[in-house]
Amino acid sequence: QVRLVESGGGLVQAGGSLTLSCSASGVNFKIATMNWYRQTPGNQRELVATISSGGVTNYTDSLKGRFTISRNNAWNRVSLQMRGLKSEDTGAYYCHTFYYGRNFWGQGTQVAVAS
């Protein structure tokens, strides 16, 4: 059973930083492409960043330069480092993988940026 568990969310002042983590189990992590999505108030869930099994990263254009995705295959963990946070980054952040034809989501972690 694939399970994704996010952590690291919280309240931060605008301009601050947070690092989110996602621990994966029940999956051959080394071959899985891992993604971070977010859902901000009033908006649909959007892809934030992707990291392939080989470590190739992609970001939504508006977040390039502020967010960094990384993975640690020894720990089955994917992280999202967020810098220069803005109030519009407030929302729920979700870890995701598409594995053997199915979508798997974590429960989400909340990020609140105070202006």
Side-chain angles (χ1 to χ4, degrees), residues 38-81:
R38 73 179 184 181
Q39 187 160 16
T40 56
N43 295 307
Q44 292 184 332
R45 195 172 294 190
E46 64 173 342
L47 180 63
V48 171
T50 294
I51 187 164
S52 73
S53 58
V56 176
T57 59
N58 279 289
Y59 302 89
T60 191
D61 285 344
S62 61
L63 300 176
K64 283 181 182 176
R66 292 198 298 123
F67 288 17
T68 302
I69 189 171
S70 60
R71 65 189 297 152
N72 184 323
N73 288 342
W75 288 84
N76 285 11
R77 187 173 294 169
V78 59
S79 298
L80 184 70
Q81 183 181 19

Side-chain angles (χ1 to χ4, degrees), residues 38 40-41 43 46 66 85-91 93 113:
R38 73 179 184 181
T40 56
N43 295 307
E46 64 173 342
R66 292 198 298 123
L85 284 163
K86 306 175 182 180
S87 57
E88 53 262 43
D89 295 318
T90 293
Y93 286 71
V113 183

Side-chain angles (χ1 to χ4, degrees), residues 2 5-6 13 15-17 21 23-25 28 31-32 55 59 61 79 86 88 94-95 100-102 104-105 112 114:
V2 176
V5 180
E6 302 96 334
Q13 293 293 317
S17 300
S21 292
S23 294
S25 58
N28 186 350
I31 69 168
Y59 302 89
D61 285 344
S79 298
K86 306 175 182 180
E88 53 262 43
Y94 299 90
C95 184
Y100 283 99
R102 293 182 60 189
F104 294 96
W105 297 90

